[in-house]
Amino acid sequence: MRSANLLLIPALLLLLALPVSRGRYNDDFDDGEDLADFDDNDFAEFEDMNDDPAAEAETAPPPRVSPSSQPEEDEDEDEATVELEDGQDGFDDSETQVHGLVPAHLQNSWESYYMEILMVTGLLAYIMNYIIGKNKNSRLAQAWFNSHRELLESNFALVGDDGTSKEAVSTGKLNQENEHIYNLWCSGRVCCEGMLIQLKFLKRQDLLNVLARMMRPACDQVQIKVTLNDEDMDTFVFAVGTKKAMARLQKEMQDLSEFCGDKPKSGAKYGIPDALTILSEMGEVTDGVMDNKMVHYITNHADKIESIHFSDQFSGPKVMQEEGQPLKLPETKKTLLFTFNVPGMGNTSPRDMDALLPLMNMVIYSIDKVKKLRLNREGKQKADRNRARVEENFLKQTHAQRQEAAQTRREEKKRAEKERIMNEEDPERQRRLEEAAQRREQKKIEKKQMKMKQIKVKAM
Amino acid sequence: MSANNMSDPRRQNKILRYKPPSTESNPTLEDPTPDYMNLLGMIFSMCGLMLKLKWCAWIAVYCSFISFANSRSSEDTKQMMSSFMLSISAVVMSYLQNPQPMSPPW
């Protein structure tokens, strides 16, 4: 519907703008009686122009000429000059003999508008690409869903939800966020709260993006985010993926940068291809996660794996705030994140979507596995120490700011008290409230003094 | 434990409704292209109208098309349509005022 409208409008534009304006010119030139005067002298044509000011005003003004200024007129004319000589008739009589100066947009009609035609052709090409790209993305999304539907429906009670309907009923279809992003929410399973799958396709509907991708190839991605309840996962942070992805995540992600400070280790030590590297909180975690089946999955589909990230402290990428550090630790959630690359590097066909099915099996397997994975006593202690350390660091860094915030809060309270006392109409009550406030202040000061004395005694 | 693997993992009582992630919390994740293109389109169409530059008007049309192609489905279509109409009107007005063809910059 939209695309039909878009096609219509440029066509309409072209049809309207040009003939209408040209029509006016034709009327002016096809004036039979003017022709009769031209045979007599060279300058008769210029006299006719002076008699007809109305026509001139509408057109790109043909230069006003006085009989003695023919060379001047040649300079004024920037489009085309037709030099009339006696006995010569190179052009069509009715049009060119009228003024001897014919602007280009009347001369060769369509050919002189080649820039405009180019523009409109470009627009049409963009629209065609939009339609084709949109359809391709839609077909890919549908193919993905068709191949994964059975697996998802056998694992989740709710497959597909847009959050708007009153009852929690599976919609059974993807949410389209964009022409290139599709969402699917699945919920209702043991071991997890829910799973959000995002199909992030390339922007095939945008011609600029298509051209940019010719320089820099990219691929479609499937991002899966599984959120877990507190009891579904033990405390650890772990990630595995391509070298580039790991380097980027370690810099960007809050939890990976805090808990996995070491450089990514090559995966070859654990039996997975060398192209993949591992970031882990401690060795025990890696050993626990990388069991045989997991290694098997990863090795067989290494080319499709961009990154896998398990974390009990996930809070998203690092947030840059203007006033320095935020006052509170960001909210964390136990999450499993998977990013898979669709094979084909952009030239994907709907059949390639079937290749992602084993990866979804891996996701389901991981959910169950993480539920069962428990650190031993040492590991748990280490993990708790790590978390305490991170929290302490954070508190230290924000100490000054929190003090300031506490101070402002106290001042606010005092001011509110004072205002209340002021607003009290009854003078008796006012006096009593004031006295109460004074007593409280006194108590506070005494307490502080006691504390100082105690500290001094202890120091001694 | 093995019984769990055999039985159905689905739990009707554990269903959680979908909550669209709020974009205020992660402004970095949002694609700014449609907003920039919209703004550019408006600027170019204003330039085209005021300064009577044909190429400005044509670029404005392109910008509004690109903005439309990259827009999110949750976005207001009225805004898209208005920027689109503005750029079309800039082109039409430039040609009505000066029907000569556009000259290439070279």
Side-chain angles (χ1 to χ4, degrees):
Chain A
M1 186 60 171
R2 255 171 162 179
S3 38
N5 283 344
L6 292 175
L7 269 169
L8 221 48
I9 289 167
L12 273 175
L13 163 72
L14 213 50
L15 286 172
L16 284 175
L18 306 177
V20 168
S21 44
R22 280 180 59 220
R24 266 182 268 148
Y25 294 112
N26 288 333
D27 286 338
D28 294 332
F29 294 146
D30 285 340
D31 206 1
E33 63 182 8
D34 291 337
L35 286 175
D37 295 337
F38 297 144
D39 298 335
D40 294 335
N41 55 19
D42 285 346
F43 300 115
E45 58 209 66
F46 307 130
E47 287 168 12
D48 277 336
M49 276 169 52
N50 291 331
D51 290 339
D52 205 2
E56 282 175 23
E58 287 180 39
T59 71
R64 294 190 150 269
V65 214
S66 57
S68 58
S69 59
Q70 187 160 8
E72 215 177 279
E73 164 206 314
D74 284 345
E75 286 161 18
D76 287 345
E77 180 51 64
D78 56 346
E79 300 286 347
T81 312
V82 178
E83 289 174 277
L84 282 185
E85 288 175 323
D86 295 332
Q88 223 182 26
D89 46 356
F91 297 110
D92 220 13
D93 294 326
S94 56
E95 287 183 350
T96 58
Q97 278 184 15
V98 173
H99 299 287
L101 314 152
V102 182
H105 66 282
L106 302 170
Q107 203 176 49
N108 291 319
S109 54
W110 296 108
E111 283 171 26
S112 56
Y113 281 97
Y114 67 93
M115 283 295 286
E116 281 75 11
I117 293 176
L118 225 69
M119 288 289 187
V120 174
T121 315
L123 276 179
L124 287 175
Y126 194 91
I127 293 169
M128 292 305 300
N129 179 73
Y130 175 82
I131 297 171
I132 294 173
K134 186 169 87 115
N135 284 338
K136 172 124 198 225
N137 277 348
S138 169
R139 271 183 298 131
L140 287 176
Q142 207 48 48
W144 179 91
F145 189 52
N146 289 339
S147 70
H148 287 71
R149 182 196 290 261
E150 218 180 292
L151 177 63
L152 292 173
E153 282 178 351
S154 64
N155 271 292
F156 291 92
L158 176 75
V159 174
D161 183 21
D162 56 6
T164 54
S165 58
K166 270 172 117 173
E167 306 215 342
V169 176
S170 295
T171 57
K173 56 185 170 85
L174 301 160
N175 290 344
Q176 186 174 1
E177 208 178 279
N178 242 333
E179 303 297 349
H180 62 284
I181 298 184
Y182 292 80
N183 284 343
L184 184 71
W185 172 254
C186 303
S187 183
R189 190 186 193 276
V190 287
C191 311
C192 71
E193 266 183 12
M195 175 165 82
L196 178 67
I197 305 174
Q198 274 197 320
L199 302 175
K200 288 197 168 160
F201 294 129
L202 303 166
K203 286 188 185 177
R204 293 186 174 84
Q205 78 275 13
D206 180 13
L207 188 59
L208 282 187
N209 205 280
V210 168
L211 297 172
R213 263 189 299 119
M214 291 186 184
M215 314 288 159
R216 207 165 31 126
C219 50
D220 304 300
Q221 283 191 335
V222 177
Q223 289 186 353
I224 302 176
K225 182 172 173 179
V226 184
T227 40
L228 306 164
N229 292 316
D230 281 337
E231 67 271 12
D232 294 331
M233 183 174 170
D234 206 353
T235 53
F236 64 87
V237 176
F238 172 82
V240 59
T242 61
K243 288 198 181 96
K244 256 175 111 179
M246 284 298 105
R248 188 175 42 90
L249 286 179
Q250 194 175 30
K251 255 194 303 189
E252 279 178 8
M253 289 294 170
Q254 179 88 13
D255 53 347
L256 285 176
S257 61
E258 283 172 356
F259 293 95
C260 304
D262 303 330
K263 273 181 66 172
K265 294 198 193 74
S266 163
K269 282 189 232 157
Y270 295 91
I272 58 177
D274 192 36
L276 299 175
T277 53
I278 298 178
L279 273 175
S280 174
E281 197 178 344
M282 53 188 115
E284 189 201 333
V285 169
T286 319
D287 293 327
V289 173
M290 289 300 193
D291 63 352
N292 285 337
K293 204 157 177 200
M294 201 64 167
V295 169
H296 180 77
Y297 271 124
I298 294 179
T299 317
N300 285 353
H301 305 283
D303 55 333
K304 302 189 207 63
I305 295 178
E306 171 85 3
S307 70
I308 298 177
H309 178 186
F310 299 168
S311 172
D312 73 311
Q313 297 280 319
F314 180 73
S315 59
K318 285 192 200 170
V319 178
M320 296 298 152
Q321 279 209 354
E322 304 92 40
E323 313 96 43
Q325 302 279 0
L327 286 180
K328 271 193 335 171
L329 269 176
E331 290 267 326
T332 61
K333 188 91 185 121
K334 298 198 175 185
T335 319
L336 309 179
L337 293 144
F338 301 82
T339 306
F340 300 132
N341 295 329
V342 177
M345 203 61 174
N347 297 327
T348 349
S349 76
R351 273 175 288 119
D352 293 329
M353 290 302 174
D354 292 333
L356 294 172
L357 197 54
L359 290 169
M360 189 54 75
N361 279 320
M362 180 175 82
V363 171
I364 305 285
Y365 173 73
S366 305
I367 298 175
D368 290 327
K369 183 185 178 49
V370 155
K371 170 90 181 188
K372 287 184 272 186
L373 182 65
R374 294 282 174 240
L375 302 169
N376 62 15
R377 209 157 53 103
E378 261 181 47
K380 191 85 177 88
Q381 279 177 353
K382 225 174 154 187
D384 289 337
R385 266 204 306 264
N386 280 342
R387 277 148 191 74
R389 172 183 49 89
V390 166
E391 204 177 324
E392 217 184 290
N393 283 343
F394 179 80
L395 289 176
K396 269 195 214 156
Q397 280 173 342
T398 56
H399 182 69
Q401 269 159 307
R402 276 182 303 117
Q403 259 192 341
E404 245 183 78
Q407 182 74 6
T408 30
R409 259 182 309 195
R410 262 177 297 185
E411 281 174 16
E412 275 293 324
K413 254 197 201 162
K414 266 197 201 153
R415 218 172 337 126
E417 252 320 310
K418 280 208 182 116
E419 250 190 75
R420 211 158 42 92
I421 294 174
M422 292 300 199
N423 292 339
E424 207 47 66
E425 285 173 2
D426 190 3
E428 258 306 308
R429 286 192 72 182
Q430 210 179 41
R431 209 171 5 102
R432 258 186 283 151
L433 280 170
E434 267 186 43
E435 279 175 13
Q438 264 185 350
R439 261 181 279 143
R440 267 188 295 227
E441 278 293 323
Q442 196 64 16
K443 266 199 194 151
K444 267 198 201 150
I445 294 173
E446 274 176 21
K447 247 196 197 165
K448 260 199 189 152
Q449 285 179 342
M450 285 292 288
K451 260 198 185 158
M452 293 305 290
K453 274 196 196 151
Q454 274 180 356
I455 291 174
K456 275 195 188 146
V457 166
K458 273 199 182 150
M460 286 199 315
Chain B
M1 272 306 182
S2 55
N4 258 347
N5 292 336
M6 306 290 279
S7 67
D8 195 2
R10 293 176 287 184
R11 297 288 180 270
Q12 197 70 29
N13 57 342
K14 287 188 102 183
I15 287 182
L16 216 69
R17 294 306 301 277
Y18 172 60
K19 250 190 319 197
S22 71
T23 45
E24 287 92 50
S25 54
N26 347 355
T28 47
L29 293 181
E30 248 186 71
D31 181 22
T33 310
D35 301 321
Y36 281 157
M37 282 295 148
N38 215 3
L39 184 65
L40 267 181
M42 295 223 194
I43 293 175
F44 274 117
S45 46
M46 283 288 114
C47 282
L49 273 172
M50 306 295 181
L51 307 176
K52 301 197 179 108
L53 297 169
K54 294 197 176 79
W55 56 268
C56 270
W58 280 110
I59 293 178
V61 176
Y62 272 94
C63 283
S64 76
F65 266 84
I66 295 173
S67 170
F68 171 74
N70 283 298
S71 66
R72 294 164 277 263
S73 62
S74 56
E75 258 179 45
D76 207 3
T77 50
K78 282 194 281 254
Q79 169 124 20
M80 287 293 135
M81 283 288 117
S82 77
S83 88
F84 188 64
M85 287 297 141
L86 185 63
S87 54
I88 295 279
S89 70
V91 171
V92 171
M93 289 308 294
S94 313
Y95 279 93
L96 283 179
Q97 287 165 354
N98 183 11
Q100 293 191 13
M102 212 161 53
S103 54
W106 51 86

